[in-house]
């Protein structure tokens, strides 16, 4: 949440995500064991959220 609070756009979009989309991001970050990887993926997650993408956006059929 601290990283999201630094990016207002990402925070607003994240708050509007469904429960399941929020859960996907949280489980992804919580499941990471090393601090270095966690920080890298938090930055990546905030970037994806700011673009309005859910965690598995690549697999959604258009």
């Amino acid at each position: 949440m601290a990283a999201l609070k630094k990016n207002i756009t990402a925070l607003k979009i994240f708050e509007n995500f469904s429960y399941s989309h929020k859960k996907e991001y949280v489980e992804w970050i919580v499941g990471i064991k090393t601090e270095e990887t966690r920080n890298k993926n938090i930055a990546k997650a905030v970037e994806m959220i700011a673009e309005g993408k859910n965690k598995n956006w690549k697999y959604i059929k258009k």
Side-chain angles (χ1 to χ4, degrees):
M1 285 305 289
L4 282 174
K5 288 180 182 177
K6 292 178 183 176
N7 186 328
I8 301 301
T9 304
L11 178 61
K12 288 179 182 179
I13 292 171
F14 185 77
E15 288 174 345
N16 290 323
F17 274 169
S18 67
Y19 173 79
S20 60
H21 287 149
K22 290 178 186 177
K23 185 177 174 183
E24 288 173 345
Y25 275 109
V26 171
E27 287 179 345
W28 176 40
I29 300 301
V30 171
I32 299 170
K33 294 180 181 175
T34 64
E35 190 70 26
E36 179 182 342
T37 304
R38 185 178 301 119
N39 291 335
K40 181 180 79 172
N41 285 354
I42 286 172
K44 184 176 180 181
V46 170
E47 198 175 292
M48 289 171 51
I49 292 168
E51 294 174 6
K53 297 177 179 177
N54 67 9
K55 172 71 173 75
N56 296 312
W57 66 272
K58 294 179 188 178
Y59 305 107
I60 296 174
K61 294 182 180 180
K62 295 181 181 179

